[in-house]
């Protein structure tokens, strides 16, 4: 029956990778090339959140510790602290909320600096994620893109990716060059997070609540157009990459971890059909598992 | 006679357990799939599937024969690959052309292929972009010229080339030879079926709708039908073919060339050196 999901991706003009699993019955899954390593864009903020929460559990980090993000040094982006004209002082846990609720690049890079790439890599190993590598944050990602496009500012570099009349430079969407994961690794992380295996009860609740606060409804949630279905997710967007991973909880309480990663054929910054296809594919997958 | 298609139907039905899904995998519609299955069952003298309540299920005979069908399909694929690898008459270059490639440009690319690899035999097929990319992926085609943007899924691709694209409309549709797209109102624009290249077609339709709010579109099977409809005063044709013409149909240049035909070469395993790819790409735009 996976052919229907594949046809949905093809009809929307996207290459799609998907993994879906019922939280209480992990043996039955829906798998569309779910072990392929794909560049994860802002989905990296989810493993970063879980890593941060683990360090809070271990007493390594104080969630109330305050950081000041200065406009001259913080990472640019379309949302959150990235937009602010003046220095912003926030606690680490509020940075985590902004990072997850609106995919705040400045907050995420600040939190990544605090957690550290090496420490995060060790945590992801301990979570059982064998195919997930957070290699760098958003700032470093933009520097890499500028190098590949030969542009000296991030907006101009992103404009190259958004132009249907230009050829995307090689390597931009190579998993090996970026933070990367597999759909099945992300559903494993979500399942272990949701069942409370990774964090204390308090941090598990914080992580779940933070994911439910995500404002974006155009991808995963668009496939479940009913308020009694709860969707907690994290999107990822970079050029033609459009992803969302999350947990869908139905009114009866049965819940499903779903990871949908896509690469669109078109370059346009705004692609509502591709966004909605993520929801449609997730809905088809969940229905297969019910 | 047992054919490769029969084997594809057998394996697809066994995997998908659904007639519609299996037909989609094989790339045909449901009636020929059912017909193919009946022929196959007659040829092997056994019923291979039962229609159950939830879908299609293998019979005991079907389950016993399935591994042989899989093996036979693998062997056919190996035959194709071996034929490509060591051809006594020199390499065969199988080139695919999307229907949007102007005839002269397609001919120039084919000629450049022959010139680039001395002793080669060039065969050419025309097929929609979505079919070409899957044929290149499976190794049936060496390379193809396809519409951009399209899902490439691991294929290598040359640079995106923009071909200027004109409007052919009934004579007298506009006063000047260069015209704003918006001024060319009234008649629907002829477009080929969306499924042939969903991403490229959506980009075309979205751009058209942005620049020309009224007039709509009409789906046509090919450029021949589109031109005939223009001659009959029923449609506007968008074409990158500089020579397409018919009595009663006038050629208009669109101001700013807002709907260029975007083409690129795709291939699965590097068939040529990169400088040859550059030559073929040049042939595409200058041909």
């Amino acid at each position: 029956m996976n052919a229907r999901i594949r046809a949905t991706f093809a009809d929307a003009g996207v290459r799609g990778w998907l993994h879906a699993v019922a939280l209480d019955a992990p043996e039955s899954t829906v798998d569309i090339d779910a072990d392929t390593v794909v560049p994860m864009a802002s989905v990296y903020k989810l493993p970063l959140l879980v890593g941060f929460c683990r360090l809070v559990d271990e007493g390594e980090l104080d969630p109330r510790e305050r950081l000041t993000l200065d406009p001259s040094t913080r990472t640019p982006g379309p949302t959150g602290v990235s937009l602010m004209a003046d220095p912003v002082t926030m606690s680490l846990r509020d940075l985590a909320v902004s990072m997850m609720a609106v995919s705040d690049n400045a907050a995420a890079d600040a939190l990544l600096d605090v957690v550290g790439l090496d420490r995060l890599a060790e945590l992801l190993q301990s979570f059982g994620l064998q195919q997930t590598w957070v290699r760098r944050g958003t700032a470093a990602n933009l520097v890499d893109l500028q190098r590949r496009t030969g542009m000296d500012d991030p907006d101009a570099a992103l404009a190259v990716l958004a132009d249907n009349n230009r050829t995307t430079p090689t390597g931009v969407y190579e998993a090996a060059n970026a933070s990367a994961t597999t759909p099945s690794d992300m559903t494993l992380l979500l399942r272990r997070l949701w069942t409370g295996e990774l964090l204390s009860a308090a941090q598990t609740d914080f992580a779940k609540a933070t994911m439910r606060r995500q404002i974006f409804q155009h991808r995963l949630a668009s496939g479940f157009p009913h308020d009694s279905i709860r969707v907690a997710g994290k999107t990822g967007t970079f050029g033609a990459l459009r992803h969302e991973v999350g947990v869908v909880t139905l009114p009866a309480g049965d819940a499903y971890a779903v990871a949908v990663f896509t690469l669109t054929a078109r370059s346009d910054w705004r692609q509502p059909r591709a966004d909605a296809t993520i929801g449609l594919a997730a809905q088809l997958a969940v229905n297969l598992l019910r | 006679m047992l054919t490769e298609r029969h084997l594809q139907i057998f394996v697809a039905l066994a995997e998908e357990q659904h007639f519609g899904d299996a037909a989609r995998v094989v790339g045909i519609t449901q009636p020929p799939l059912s017909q193919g299955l009946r022929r196959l069952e007659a040829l092997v003298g056994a019923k291979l599937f039962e229609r159950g309540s939830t879908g299609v299920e293998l019979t005991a005979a079907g389950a016993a024969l399935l591994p042989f069908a899989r093996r036979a399909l693998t062997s056919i694929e190996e035959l194709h690959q071996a034929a490509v690898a060591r051809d006594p008459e020199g390499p065969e270059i199988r080139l695919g052309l999307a229907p949007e490639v102007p005839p002269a440009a397609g001919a120039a690319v084919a000629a450049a292929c022959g010139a680039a690899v001395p002793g080669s035999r060039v065969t050419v097929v025309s097929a929609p972009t979505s079919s070409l990319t899957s044929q290149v992926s499976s190794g049936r085609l060496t390379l193809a010229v396809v519409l951009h943007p399209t899902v490439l899924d691991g294929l290598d691709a040359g640079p995106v080339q923009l071909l200027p694209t004109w409007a052919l409309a009934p004579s007298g549709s506009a006063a000047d030879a260069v015209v704003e797209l918006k001024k060319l109102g009234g008649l629907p624009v002829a477009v080929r079926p969306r499924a042939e290249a969903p991403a490229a077609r959506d980009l075309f339709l979205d751009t058209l709708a942005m620049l020309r709010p009224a007039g709509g579109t009409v789906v046509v099977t090919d450029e021949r039908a589109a031109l005939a409809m223009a001659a009959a005063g029923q449609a506007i044709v968008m074409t990158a073919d500089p020579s397409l013409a018919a009595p009663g149909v006038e050629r208009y240049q669109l101001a700013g060339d807002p709907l260029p035909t975007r083409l690129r070469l795709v291939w699965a395993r590097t068939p040529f050196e990169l400088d040859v790819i550059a030559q073929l790409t040049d042939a595409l735009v200058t041909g």
Side-chain angles (χ1 to χ4, degrees), chain A residues 45-46 48 102 113 161 164 172 180 223 246 269 289:
Chain A
K45 291 164 188 169
L46 170 62
L48 173 56
V102 298
D113 276 348
L161 297 190
N164 284 302
V172 169
W269 178 250
L289 293 172

Side-chain angles (χ1 to χ4, degrees), chain A residues 11 15 165 167 266 273, chain B residues 18 148 153 160 194 206 262:
Chain A
D11 183 66
R15 172 72 169 101
N165 292 346
T167 310
R266 280 174 71 169
R273 282 187 206 89
Chain B
H18 183 279
H148 170 83
D153 192 15
V160 177
R194 182 177 173 279
D206 291 345
R262 302 173 181 86

Side-chain angles (χ1 to χ4, degrees), chain A residues 10-211:
Chain A
D11 183 66
V14 307
R15 172 72 169 101
W17 300 265
L18 175 147
H19 197 244
V21 56
L23 292 190
D24 57 0
E27 61 286 350
S28 60
T29 62
V30 178
D31 176 332
I32 308 280
D33 303 324
D35 292 316
T36 307
V37 179
V38 290
M40 70 202 296
S42 284
V43 171
Y44 87 88
K45 291 164 188 169
L46 170 62
L48 173 56
L49 171 76
V50 183
F52 165 73
C53 291
R54 171 63 77 86
L55 292 173
V56 170
D57 270 340
E58 290 172 355
E60 298 276 323
L61 290 178
D62 173 6
R64 290 180 177 81
E65 183 191 330
R66 295 165 78 79
L67 270 187
T68 298
L69 276 56
D70 192 272
S72 63
T73 52
R74 70 183 176 218
T75 308
T79 59
V81 176
S82 287
L83 293 175
M84 303 303 162
D86 299 308
V88 173
T89 302
M90 282 172 113
S91 67
L92 294 184
R93 62 181 178 180
D94 282 348
L95 286 171
V97 169
S98 189
M99 164 179 90
M100 297 301 288
V102 298
S103 205
D104 186 334
N105 287 340
D109 274 356
L111 206 59
L112 185 60
D113 276 348
V114 171
V115 170
L117 286 172
D118 291 344
R119 197 153 57 155
L120 183 57
E122 278 173 30
L123 288 168
L124 298 187
Q125 279 287 319
S126 76
F127 297 162
L129 307 180
Q130 302 291 325
Q131 301 287 319
T132 301
W133 299 274
V134 176
R135 294 192 169 96
R136 58 181 184 226
T138 306
N141 217 20
L142 289 172
V143 169
D144 180 76
L145 180 65
Q146 284 169 238
R147 185 176 62 78
R148 288 179 192 280
T149 54
M151 295 291 164
D152 45 17
D153 82 281
D155 287 342
L158 286 166
V160 172
L161 297 190
D163 190 343
N164 284 302
N165 292 346
R166 293 167 85 164
T167 310
T168 301
T170 50
V172 169
Y173 301 127
E174 283 290 335
N177 297 331
S179 293
T181 187
T182 64
S184 56
D185 245 17
M186 283 299 100
T187 58
L188 175 66
L189 176 64
L190 287 166
R191 191 159 56 78
R192 299 196 70 189
L193 171 64
W194 243 251
T195 51
E197 288 174 54
L198 299 179
L199 304 173
S200 68
Q203 287 303 308
T204 298
D205 286 347
F206 171 74
K208 286 185 189 179
T210 302
M211 286 185 70

Side-chain angles (χ1 to χ4, degrees), chain A residues 217-252:
Chain A
Q217 306 290 314
H218 57 318
R219 295 198 183 150
L220 213 49
S222 73
F224 305 91
H226 199 288
D227 285 351
S228 60
I229 300 174
R230 283 184 297 169
V231 179
K234 182 67 201 83
T235 58
T237 310
F238 182 73
L241 296 170
R242 272 166 172 66
H243 315 318
E244 188 162 356
V245 308
V247 171
V248 177
T249 307
L250 298 185

